[in-house]
Amino acid sequence: MLQKRIDDQPTISREMVREAQEILHRHLKRVGLKQTAQRDTILKTFLETRDHLSTDELHRLVQKKDAGIGYTTVYRTLKLLAECGLASEVAFHDGIARYEHQYNRRSHHHMVCTECGSSVEFFSQEVGELEQEIGRKYHYLTTRHTFQIYGICEECRKKSSRPV
Amino acid sequence: MLQKRIDDQPTISREMVREAQEILHRHLKRVGLKQTAQRDTILKTFLETRDHLSTDELHRLVQKKDAGIGYTTVYRTLKLLAECGLASEVAFHDGIARYEHQYNRRSHHHMVCTECGSSVEFFSQEVGELEQEIGRKYHYLTTRHTFQIYGICEECRKKSSRPV
DNA sequence: GCGAAGTTGAATTTCATTTTCAAGATGCAC
DNA sequence: GTGCATCTTGAAAATGAAATTCAACTTCGC
């Protein structure tokens, strides 16, 4: 039988946070920047979610841990995390930049509901293969891709069929 | 032998412009709006390109035909065109909204060079099939998708291998 | 042609993002 | 541990694309 989990921490273990911090610290050193408590707090908070967070949303979460950390620092730290591969920007089409963690995650894609803004993630091996194939064909050195499907989720379809 | 083309008009025939205008006019009538010379000029100018135009770029082109047409009108007309399916928004990741025509075009995708911003279009049947498949799986009514590949084009790779 | 309703475009507002700057940390050299 | 150059921080300001406002103008159904 599996060992019972005794903590309620969401989605990520202490071990993983430590590893991610090491990645960040190595990156900071490499580009001549310094490690700070703020950056660590922001990284930790970021890792503890699985949502697609805007800077503003992450800032709100971070403030629960340390009310002194400003929006600007969260903004800048997200850029840093993106630089060292721990986060990546993901654009739904609503005019707000969002980030998600990339640490230990397979490449995945999103399906977004254009009514309520909710999203589900899905995996598709084929899409990665397509990236390679198309890149070869047009002589691009490909680095990444985005694939989003837009539609209306079951929930919202139910709502609109029995209007208030 | 093919008949020699005697005009220099790019990419689209008078016939197609007329058809597109009819689509727009029908849409305007349906939602209770009016047709104007400005809207027709903007549509025509838009159709005469095959690029991915920002509002600003299209505004510049429109001004060559009628210097009195303002940015705001171009902006609003692009939204109208998107509403009636003649244009669709396409977001490269540079913070600027772009539109491309959708009239008589198969669903297609983009590969964008992150160095110089140039892009190529490609077609892939499989991606459309994936949209259907994933939609069924998660009970979404899918409407559209975006698929972009980012990388570095051959041109830019050459440049960076022999730096100035 | 009349008049209600929509349109136009300059100017303004909005709002997420990005930059600035002065005060405060950090970390390497000693 | 101390000094000091350099980086960081966060409030505030700047930026810039997108969206809205408004008074003058146009369209279109009658």
Side-chain angles (χ1 to χ4, degrees):
Chain A
M1 204 196 245
L2 288 172
Q3 191 175 358
K4 194 171 159 199
R5 285 190 63 191
I6 43 177
D7 65 43
D8 278 314
Q9 290 303 308
T11 65
I12 195 150
S13 69
R14 253 169 223 105
E15 185 57 26
M16 288 170 84
V17 173
R18 209 183 47 71
E19 278 182 49
Q21 274 178 349
E22 263 174 40
I23 292 173
L24 174 60
H25 294 171
R26 258 198 301 278
H27 175 73
L28 291 173
K29 190 151 236 172
R30 189 155 48 78
V31 298
L33 303 180
K34 292 165 182 174
Q35 52 174 285
T36 65
Q38 286 94 325
R39 286 174 177 162
D40 283 350
T41 302
I42 292 164
L43 172 58
K44 188 157 180 293
T45 310
F46 179 65
L47 290 173
E48 283 170 0
T49 74
R50 263 231 156 180
D51 284 319
H52 308 106
L53 290 174
S54 65
T55 307
D56 195 57
E57 286 162 348
L58 182 57
H59 178 225
R60 247 190 285 278
L61 291 178
V62 165
Q63 290 229 312
K64 288 185 190 166
K65 298 196 174 175
D66 181 345
I69 295 180
Y71 178 92
T72 315
T73 303
V74 174
Y75 164 78
R76 283 187 282 224
T77 302
L78 274 172
K79 297 236 140 181
L80 275 176
L81 297 184
E83 268 174 41
C84 63
L86 288 169
S88 68
E89 206 174 312
V90 48
F92 298 166
H93 274 164
D94 60 357
I96 296 172
R98 290 162 202 287
Y99 291 83
E100 62 181 9
H101 5 145
Q102 210 53 39
Y103 176 67
N104 255 356
R105 298 253 250 121
R106 290 163 59 203
S107 163
H108 64 283
H109 312 101
H110 301 106
M111 185 153 57
V112 182
C113 176
T114 50
E115 293 288 315
C116 65
S118 67
S119 62
V120 301
E121 296 180 357
F122 63 92
F123 297 85
S124 166
Q125 188 61 41
E126 300 167 63
V127 176
E129 286 160 14
L130 268 169
E131 174 185 320
Q132 298 307 311
E133 184 189 315
I134 305 290
R136 268 195 302 278
K137 186 166 170 188
Y138 294 99
H139 310 291
Y140 269 59
L141 179 65
T142 65
T143 50
R144 65 198 175 85
H145 64 258
T146 64
F147 182 35
Q148 265 112 246
I149 299 178
Y150 297 90
I152 301 174
C153 69
E154 203 168 13
E155 198 72 10
C156 286
R157 282 213 308 293
K158 278 181 197 159
K159 272 186 214 140
S160 62
S161 63
R162 47 161 172 74
V164 194
Chain B
M1 203 195 249
L2 289 171
Q3 190 175 358
K4 195 172 159 197
R5 286 189 63 190
I6 44 176
D7 64 44
D8 279 311
Q9 290 303 308
T11 64
I12 195 151
S13 69
R14 254 169 222 103
E15 185 57 26
M16 286 170 86
V17 173
R18 210 184 46 70
E19 278 182 47
Q21 274 178 351
E22 264 174 39
I23 291 173
L24 174 60
H25 294 171
R26 258 199 301 279
H27 175 71
L28 290 174
K29 190 151 236 173
R30 189 155 48 77
V31 298
L33 303 181
K34 291 164 183 175
Q35 51 174 287
T36 65
Q38 286 93 328
R39 284 175 178 163
D40 284 351
T41 302
I42 293 165
L43 172 57
K44 188 156 179 291
T45 310
F46 179 65
L47 290 174
E48 284 170 359
T49 74
R50 263 229 154 184
D51 284 318
H52 309 105
L53 291 174
S54 65
T55 308
D56 194 56
E57 285 162 348
L58 182 56
H59 179 227
R60 247 190 286 277
L61 291 177
V62 165
Q63 290 230 312
K64 288 185 190 166
K65 299 198 173 173
D66 182 345
I69 296 179
Y71 178 92
T72 315
T73 304
V74 174
Y75 165 78
R76 283 186 282 224
T77 303
L78 274 173
K79 296 235 140 182
L80 275 175
L81 297 184
E83 268 174 42
C84 63
L86 288 169
S88 69
E89 205 176 313
V90 48
F92 299 167
H93 273 162
D94 60 357
I96 296 172
R98 289 160 202 287
Y99 291 83
E100 62 180 10
H101 5 145
Q102 210 53 40
Y103 176 67
N104 254 358
R105 298 254 253 119
R106 290 163 59 203
S107 163
H108 64 282
H109 311 102
H110 302 278
M111 183 152 59
V112 182
C113 175
T114 50
E115 293 288 314
C116 66
S118 68
S119 62
V120 301
E121 296 181 356
F122 62 92
F123 297 86
S124 168
Q125 189 60 43
E126 302 168 61
V127 177
E129 286 161 13
L130 267 169
E131 175 186 319
Q132 298 307 312
E133 183 190 315
I134 305 289
R136 269 195 302 279
K137 186 166 169 187
Y138 294 98
H139 310 290
Y140 268 59
L141 179 65
T142 64
T143 50
R144 64 198 175 85
H145 63 258
T146 65
F147 182 35
Q148 265 112 246
I149 300 178
Y150 297 91
I152 302 175
C153 70
E154 203 168 12
E155 198 73 10
C156 287
R157 282 213 307 293
K158 278 181 195 157
K159 271 185 215 142
S160 62
S161 63
R162 48 163 169 72
V164 194

